[in-house]
Structure formats: C-alpha cells, structure tokens
Amino acid sequence: MKASDADILIIPGYTNSGPDHWQSRWQAKLSTARRVEQAEWSKPVREDWVARVVEEVEKSTRPVVLVAHSLGVPTAVHAVPRIGNKVAGAFFVAPPDVANPAIRPKHLMTFGPYPRDPLPFPSITVASRNDPFGAFEHADDIAGAWGSLLIDAGESGHINSDSGHGPWPEGTMVFAQFLSRLRADVGRTA
C-alpha cells in the first residue's frame, strides 16, 4: 500500500504532539494524514478520546492506518472493538505503562489496563529501553499479546522531540516499509 491509498490517522498522546514532534512532521508530509484532535489534551478522558478515534475512522473512505504515540496507543487499542474491520494496520510508538501506579499524572491510569486480545490487523510497536513512561519489558509483553512486531529502539527515551526525535528518519523508514506491506483492500467501504 502507498500512503496515498490510506487514511493515516495521527493519534498523539497526553498534551498533544508539538510542531517539532515526528508525528506533526509526518502529518505535514503525508497528504492523506490527519490528526485525531481531542477536546482536552491535558485532562484526557478515556471514553472521550476513544470516541474521537472511532469518529475519525468512521469518516474515512480509504483503509485506515493508525499512527499512535504514547497515550495515543492505549486510546487506539481500546477503540479496536469498534473499528478493527476498517483498519489496515497500526504503528504504535512508546506505549506508556498505564497500569503502573507510579505514572504521573495519576489520571492517566484510567487508560489502563491494555486490552490483551490479538489485534485483527498487522501492527508494529516501537519501544525504547529507557522510556520514562513505560519499561521495555512492558512493551514487549503487550506487543506479544497483540501479535505486534516489536522494534527495539535502543535507548531512545520517550521517542519524542524532547528525546531528540523530531525528524526521526529511522522511524520514517520503518513506517514506509510497514506501509508497503499492508493490503490496500482492507477496510474499504462501498
């Protein structure tokens, strides 16, 4: 599949992705990409965030590819029962451990625990070995439950602009390869 064959939904995490974040850069570069906007970026409510993802998927006319970062990952995964048949694939980056009582702010725990059912579409989960919001072992565990290919990003922090991942060329290459392997006929609506 080519990027032009898909509706690429950018699903940012807590407080949104700023202009230097790789998600914002990808959105600007990819003509079929659009951001799932949330009413409350700094006070996320799981049901509201999930509902916005479902709305955006339902508006799509092409197969959907989810590109979720941080709190966007559990948001997307919680939406799967309502959108799974319309999604061609998902690219998950830096999934936080939302079941960890040490997570701050505390209300982010309302996004946990992660569903552990296998995903009905191909996915990649990119995780760092020194992400302050989620241990690599946690990412390995949930990726395994989902049937997601885990990519070890080494010591890359939270894989955001604060950790030096604004342009993130390695991520762009992995995403392009992933996209090229997806089927363009998934999720088509008549």
Side-chain angles (χ1 to χ4, degrees), residues 26-185:
W26 289 13
Q27 182 181 350
K29 275 187 182 175
L30 298 167
S31 64
T32 62
R34 69 182 186 273
R35 182 176 306 244
V36 175
E37 293 290 345
Q38 299 293 348
E40 282 290 340
W41 287 109
S42 61
K43 291 185 181 161
V45 175
R46 180 171 114 183
E47 295 76 22
D48 296 346
W49 278 40
V50 169
R52 285 291 302 125
V53 170
V54 171
E55 284 173 31
E56 289 299 325
V57 169
E58 287 175 350
K59 279 199 260 181
S60 298
T61 57
R62 293 175 284 232
V64 173
V65 177
L66 307 174
V67 178
H69 178 259
S70 192
L71 197 61
V73 176
T75 302
V77 176
H78 283 297
V80 167
R82 295 166 58 190
I83 62 170
N85 62 332
K86 297 175 182 171
V87 175
F91 191 78
F92 299 138
V93 180
D97 185 352
V98 288
N100 181 347
I103 197 168
R104 295 291 180 265
K106 274 285 212 214
H107 68 272
L108 300 184
M109 285 184 69
T110 62
F111 282 73
Y114 282 95
R116 297 185 59 82
D117 297 328
L119 298 175
F121 45 76
S123 65
I124 286 180
T125 301
V126 181
S128 166
R129 291 196 170 266
N130 64 342
D131 187 336
F133 301 105
F136 184 81
E137 294 74 21
H138 173 262
D140 186 27
D141 177 56
I142 57 173
W146 299 334
S148 184
L149 174 65
L150 180 69
I151 304 283
D152 184 342
E155 294 196 357
S156 299
H158 195 48
I159 313 176
N160 59 7
S161 48
D162 289 345
S163 64
H165 296 86
W168 196 33
E170 303 88 354
T172 303
M173 291 184 334
V174 172
F175 181 68
Q177 268 189 333
F178 175 65
L179 201 55
S180 74
R181 293 187 174 116
L182 296 179
R183 292 181 31 216
D185 61 341

